[in-house]
Amino acid sequence: MVILNLSRGLGFNQKQLFFFPKFFFLRPFMASSPVASVSSPSSGDPISVKRVGTHHGSFHCDEALGCFMIRLTDKFSNAQIVRTRDPQVLQGLDAVLDVGGVYDPSHDRYDHHQKGFEEVFGHGFSTKLSSAGLVYKHFGKEIIAKELQVDEGHPDVHRLFLAVYKSFMEAIDAVDNGINQYDIDQPPKYVNNTHLSSRVGKLNLDWTDPDQSPENENKAFEKAMVLAGGEFLDSVRFHAKSWLPARSIVMGCLAARYEIDPSGEIMVLTTFCPWKLHLFELEEEMKNDNLIKYVLYQDDRSKHWRVQAVAVSPDRFESRKPLPAQWRGLRDEELSKESGIPGCVFVHMSGFIGGNQTYEGALTMAKHALKL
């Protein structure tokens, strides 16, 4: 029996270790059908420890992450991970992920390889789920609520549940199911910011490794769980700490747009934050008739005000309405003279952004630009 200290050499901080107790490996048994277990110490009766199964052999990101996530739940906290393909062993386990040919959440069976499986996350998403996506669909809100320290019914839990799926989980489902990110001349089908699936795949034993034992394979799988689980928690925490507050700021500023200008096409950020993706998503949710053309915000360093033209879409450089061509490339007094607006600082050659020394000057630039 080998006790492994996950806090050393794996880049895992103490806060994350709170969610991921130390593992130890048990030697495999039943040589004709390898079974290897990854379990964790328990202060209670060992018999009461739940057992979660997944397949042995080469692993992928989805079962590594699924095993990590399911152990964050109350039902499977500190569960022992059993890696096998033996149907008799799998039948006796409390939960089974990515093996077994059954999807039945009432019995905690979460495989996606069987014929006829077409389960998706819902909420407008159409990507077929992997085992990680299935675990997230059924337990994601519980995990997020714990992180936020609120009830599962809190509205922030649902917002993060959708946001984390879109920005993190969907790519794992898609890659595992062999779904191309792009079709010709079409927007990407999903966001892949991490390429986590590829990095997890590289943790499998290399064919040249002289030690191909189940014990060594389990050590590699443990590293995969730590990598995938750590980045999942990082994503949840980013959305809780940064994404959600920024969304609230943009929502409030968007709601106040008609107080800025009767056109409803100018938005002023009262507090600077990452706003672009939130603006596109909120405009779609609110079904705005008049799309925002310019966003005003104060530069923290110079204290000047910026006028930024909104792009036509999140992945395009073209602006919905660039700043006027006659202003582009001009600076300071020359720009103020050309525009007739005091305090101008610059307008970029492409017309996507400009600046003024004051808020009133920046707002005047935006209002004039709407008419030119």
Side-chain angles (χ1 to χ4, degrees):
M1 183 180 298
V2 180
I3 302 294
L4 299 178
N5 186 350
L6 300 188
S7 64
R8 298 182 59 188
L10 295 176
F12 219 52
N13 61 44
Q14 292 300 316
K15 186 175 181 182
Q16 288 169 321
L17 283 174
F18 173 79
F19 293 96
F20 196 32
K22 298 175 183 177
F23 288 85
F24 65 88
F25 285 94
L26 303 180
R27 297 184 65 83
F29 60 96
M30 295 176 64
S32 62
S33 180
V35 179
S37 300
V38 185
S39 61
S40 57
S42 174
S43 58
D45 182 356
I47 298 176
S48 66
V49 175
K50 296 289 182 72
R51 297 190 302 160
V52 174
T54 190
H55 61 81
H56 67 280
S58 296
F59 52 79
H60 302 98
C61 185
D62 70 316
E63 74 265 22
L65 178 56
C67 287
F68 184 97
M69 288 192 298
I70 203 167
R71 299 178 79 249
L72 300 180
T73 67
D74 289 338
K75 187 175 183 179
F76 295 103
S77 177
N78 298 328
Q80 179 184 359
I81 304 300
V82 179
R83 302 184 67 232
T84 182
R85 295 182 186 273
D86 188 315
Q88 292 184 344
V89 176
L90 293 173
Q91 187 176 0
L93 301 179
D94 298 288
V96 176
L97 281 61
D98 208 47
V99 69
V102 176
Y103 168 52
D104 181 1
S106 66
H107 291 89
D108 291 306
R109 265 45 186 173
Y110 303 105
D111 196 11
H112 66 112
H113 296 100
Q114 59 272 24
K115 184 178 180 180
F117 179 89
E118 297 293 340
E119 188 75 10
V120 298
F121 185 66
H123 309 285
F125 295 94
S126 58
T127 299
K128 188 164 74 170
L129 297 179
S130 67
S131 61
L134 289 171
V135 171
Y136 185 77
K137 179 173 183 174
H138 292 283
F139 297 101
K141 286 187 178 181
E142 178 189 345
I143 295 169
I144 290 170
K146 284 183 177 181
E147 183 63 27
L148 296 182
Q149 298 183 347
V150 298
D151 294 334
E152 284 188 43
H154 194 285
D156 287 350
V157 172
H158 184 70
R159 292 192 186 102
L160 263 65
F161 184 57
L162 300 182
V164 170
Y165 185 79
K166 179 178 181 179
S167 68
F168 184 84
M169 292 296 307
E170 186 177 18
I172 293 167
D173 288 336
V175 170
D176 194 77
N177 283 300
I179 299 172
N180 289 326
Q181 189 174 10
Y182 294 95
D183 283 334
I184 297 175
D185 298 328
Q186 295 294 322
K189 295 180 180 178
Y190 54 91
V191 177
N192 190 356
N193 294 321
T194 68
H195 297 282
L196 179 61
S197 297
S198 176
R199 289 183 289 122
V200 166
K202 292 178 181 178
L203 294 177
N204 277 283
L205 299 183
D206 189 81
W207 70 277
T208 62
D209 194 325
D211 184 358
Q212 297 284 329
S213 66
E215 293 92 342
N216 206 31
E217 182 184 287
N218 279 347
K219 290 179 182 179
F221 184 72
E222 176 203 345
K223 291 180 181 179
M225 288 178 64
V226 172
L227 174 62
E231 294 199 14
F232 167 73
L233 289 177
D234 285 344
S235 178
V236 171
R237 289 165 184 161
F238 161 77
H239 281 86
K241 181 181 178 181
S242 177
W243 181 90
L244 191 60
R247 185 182 191 275
S248 298
I249 291 171
V250 176
M251 181 182 291
C253 296
L254 188 58
R257 64 194 183 279
Y258 288 104
E259 299 173 17
I260 304 302
D261 187 74
S263 68
E265 296 178 334
I266 301 173
M267 186 179 81
V268 177
L269 280 179
T270 55
T271 302
F272 182 78
C273 64
W275 55 269
K276 296 177 185 177
L277 287 177
H278 291 297
L279 177 60
F280 287 108
E281 290 180 357
L282 288 168
E283 283 182 327
E284 185 176 351
E285 290 176 18
M286 295 176 168
K287 308 298 181 185
N288 284 350
D289 294 329
N290 296 330
L291 298 178
I292 297 294
K293 304 301 189 299
Y294 303 113
V295 173
L296 275 60
Y297 57 88
Q298 190 174 33
D299 184 277
D300 287 339
R301 289 174 292 182
S302 68
K303 301 305 179 183
H304 292 163
W305 279 80
R306 298 282 190 255
V307 183
Q308 184 161 344
V310 178
V312 295
S313 66
D315 56 346
R316 299 285 295 275
F317 290 110
E318 298 92 335
S319 300
R320 290 171 175 173
K321 187 171 179 58
L323 292 169
Q326 58 267 38
W327 297 358
R328 300 175 200 171
L330 302 182
R331 299 189 62 88
D332 304 323
E333 289 300 322
E334 186 180 8
L335 177 56
S336 292
K337 182 178 179 181
E338 173 64 35
S339 64
I341 303 170
C344 289
V345 178
F346 78 100
V347 169
H348 192 275
M349 282 293 296
S350 68
F352 90 96
I353 196 168
N356 195 285
Q357 295 176 8
T358 68
Y359 164 72
E360 291 77 12
L363 180 58
T364 303
M365 289 177 70
K367 289 183 175 182
H368 283 201
L370 285 177
K371 300 174 183 178
L372 295 176

